[in-house]
Amino acid sequence: MSDSKIKAPRGTFDVLGDQAASRTALEVRARSILEGAGYERIETPAFEATELFARGVGESTDIVKKEMFTFEDGAGRSMTLRPEGTAPVCRAYVEHGMHKRRQPVKLWYLSSFFRHERAQAGRYREFWQVGAEALGSEDPAVDAESITLLATLLAETGVTDVRLRLSSLGSVESRSEYRERLQAHLRAHEDSLSEDVRSRIELNPLRAFDSDHPGTRTVMASAPRLLEHLSTEDAAHFEQVRALLDAAKVTYEIDSTLVRGLDYYTRTVFEFTSASLGAQSGVGGGGRYDGLVERLGGPATPGMGWAAGIERILLAGDRSQATPAAPPPVELFVAIDDQGHDVRAAGFGLVSEARTAGLTAQMDLGGRSLKGQLGHANALGARFVAIVGVEQTTLRDMQTGDQQPVATDAVVHAVLRGQHDL
Ligand code: AMP
């Protein structure tokens, strides 16, 4: 038997004190921005059938090939801890017949995700994302609104040195012709490519743009660019997205090498980075995924969305803006003048009665002396303190210092009245 301490798994972390408070503040802000724009909260399960991600995210992606936490449930079915949120949201859209609602259906989430990555600063194995998905409309205004909302969230959380890169991957049809051109280019320079890129020429040639292998980068510098081979409709769609972003005064750069790590993207793709983050500079990104719902067995449905990393927003954001409102003040502190069972029970009953009446109430749970309890009440900034004793209960107004005996069952009423009189 070993009595060594058990630690949290590699790449995971505990959320404590101030960090929990910053997260709450961020969540409140995200909620206000997104729900204000008509997004409804959705939460999906932490694990899903593995097939959802294999089909949705794509077999050739790093996420599916190397990064999923996959296990068998008791009945031998393959399950996976969610590595991303878009495929689960699309699954839920189909499962709940949301295509019958008024379109687009706009949903947001704030949940934890799991990827088996090399853990480092800003890169974890369980991390949190806030995400927004709009399903059911291919209007370029959906793209522009979605991107603008993330820009607003980053601005409001004080993320500095932000860069927004934007591109279009075209629709699946216009991309297939381009893919062939790109594959021909890659094959012509196969000897200079990294092993990884070479092995993906057939399945996922676009990912070559993401490689940091020097030989591959040289080859990619002269590679044909998808943005220059868009169909007329795709080019017009992209132009409108840009015009709308201009109208919303969102600053962006066009980056024709921008490809994202998930297979489902079509048309608009984008990524926000912050120079203040160092190596893991991605704060959030997303794009349009017009074929995904259909790929998951639903009706043909366009979609557009993004996800942004909570830890990265907090790392790159302005700490002072992340400070939430102080916890609610303690309206009644119940102190016990005797540690006997009856008095403790009377005090405990009083706290419970006060809470039921809508007051914030606390009592000492550590067996402290009366002096210690009063010190605690003071430190909490309690408005009233009821001192419950064997003989009588005393109610003290901590602001005026006035003190008077009160029947225990009249304390709540007296506090409510006392507050009212203020
Ligand atoms: P993705 O789903 O890969 O597009 O990631 C969207 C955002 O989630 C990124 O920009 C990061 O902010 C965040 N993110 C992705 N992977 C991780 C990770 N392993 N640890 C922390 N944050 C992550």
Side-chain angles (χ1 to χ4, degrees):
M1 213 179 85
S2 153
D3 55 3
S4 60
K5 283 188 205 138
I6 299 170
K7 292 189 169 167
R10 193 177 167 71
T12 68
F13 50 83
D14 299 306
V15 177
L16 308 172
D18 283 356
Q19 293 153 15
S22 306
R23 280 166 187 262
T24 305
L26 176 51
E27 175 163 357
V28 167
R29 214 175 274 268
R31 173 167 176 247
S32 136
I33 294 170
L34 294 169
E35 296 191 357
Y39 282 74
E40 283 169 44
R41 182 87 185 235
I42 181 171
E43 286 301 332
T44 60
F47 62 93
E48 298 267 4
T50 301
E51 196 191 347
L52 174 65
F53 303 111
R55 252 206 269 169
V57 178
E59 299 273 13
S60 72
T61 60
D62 280 347
I63 292 182
V64 172
K65 279 198 344 196
K66 311 187 223 174
E67 295 173 1
M68 298 205 303
F69 284 97
T70 296
F71 59 96
E72 271 189 14
D73 71 3
R77 288 173 293 238
S78 181
M79 297 289 152
T80 291
L81 294 181
R82 57 183 172 201
E84 62 95 53
T86 305
V89 167
C90 290
R91 194 243 338 114
Y93 176 89
V94 176
E95 193 165 331
H96 300 283
M98 290 192 226
H99 61 281
K100 296 190 204 109
R101 292 172 45 179
R102 193 194 342 242
Q103 307 293 301
V105 173
K106 303 204 273 190
L107 303 164
W108 79 282
Y109 55 82
L110 196 158
S111 342
S112 67
F113 295 88
F114 307 84
R115 293 183 195 171
H116 197 284
E117 300 197 84
R118 212 148 39 83
Q120 52 190 288
R123 186 175 287 281
Y124 311 99
R125 291 185 176 171
E126 180 180 8
F127 56 98
W128 291 72
Q129 286 183 336
V130 53
E133 316 286 352
L135 289 131
S137 166
E138 53 179 9
D139 190 329
V142 171
D143 307 44
E145 178 184 74
S146 166
I147 297 170
T148 306
L149 291 170
L150 181 51
T152 306
L153 179 64
L154 298 180
E156 287 199 9
T157 45
V159 175
T160 52
D161 303 317
V162 174
R163 225 177 114 195
L164 165 59
R165 290 180 300 138
L166 182 71
S167 190
S168 172
L169 299 179
S171 50
V172 175
E173 305 81 64
S174 72
R175 199 151 75 204
S176 68
E177 193 192 319
Y178 166 78
R179 253 173 89 104
E180 282 169 25
R181 277 174 201 265
L182 180 61
Q183 282 167 334
H185 179 79
L186 292 171
R187 277 196 211 98
H189 299 88
E190 214 166 325
D191 293 347
S192 314
L193 300 175
S194 75
E195 183 71 50
D196 199 34
V197 170
R198 217 178 308 148
S199 73
R200 280 199 273 204
I201 295 182
E202 291 310 318
L203 262 178
N204 199 348
L206 262 85
R207 288 292 290 178
F209 281 109
D210 263 356
S211 171
D212 42 23
H213 172 258
T216 306
R217 290 186 75 91
T218 313
V219 175
M220 296 321 285
S222 60
R225 298 294 161 89
L226 180 46
L227 210 48
E228 286 145 27
H229 294 88
L230 293 181
S231 69
T232 318
E233 295 82 27
D234 292 340
H237 190 274
F238 191 47
E239 203 178 302
Q240 287 182 60
V241 172
R242 283 159 47 188
L244 293 168
L245 286 174
D246 291 339
K249 300 197 166 48
V250 174
T251 315
Y252 57 86
E253 298 156 37
I254 303 296
D255 181 351
S256 61
T257 69
L258 180 63
V259 285
R260 302 209 7 101
L262 303 95
D263 269 1
Y264 48 63
Y265 287 114
T266 54
R267 293 190 160 174
T268 314
V269 283
F270 69 98
E271 197 156 276
F272 283 91
T273 52
S274 167
S276 63
L277 279 173
Q280 305 301 321
S281 64
V283 200
R288 185 164 269 291
Y289 44 85
D290 289 345
L292 181 55
V293 171
E294 203 173 1
R295 221 195 293 177
L296 298 177
T301 309
M304 164 80 202
W306 50 257
I310 296 293
E311 293 76 32
R312 301 221 187 140
I313 295 179
L314 292 174
L315 274 173
D318 177 352
R319 293 246 148 250
S320 65
Q321 296 204 32
T323 313
V330 175
E331 288 156 333
L332 174 66
F333 189 92
V334 176
I336 305 294
D337 193 11
D338 180 285
Q339 291 293 348
H341 288 308
D342 288 352
V343 172
R344 277 182 67 87
F348 198 84
L350 177 54
V351 170
S352 173
E353 186 197 339
R355 288 180 182 156
T356 306
L359 294 170
T360 52
Q362 289 194 38
M363 72 183 289
D364 173 57
L365 301 174
R368 286 194 185 82
S369 66
L370 180 58
K371 190 164 168 247
Q373 295 175 62
L374 294 176
H376 186 194
N378 228 342
L380 288 171
R383 179 70 185 79
F384 290 91
V385 176
I387 303 163
V388 182
V390 181
E391 302 292 331
Q392 65 168 21
T393 295
T394 310
L395 185 62
R396 183 185 294 178
D397 182 326
M398 300 293 277
Q399 254 168 31
T400 61
D402 290 350
Q403 180 163 312
Q404 51 181 313
V406 183
T408 312
D409 61 6
V411 167
V412 168
H413 184 68
V415 170
L416 287 170
R417 205 183 49 220
Q419 283 188 320
H420 193 70
D421 290 347
L422 286 176

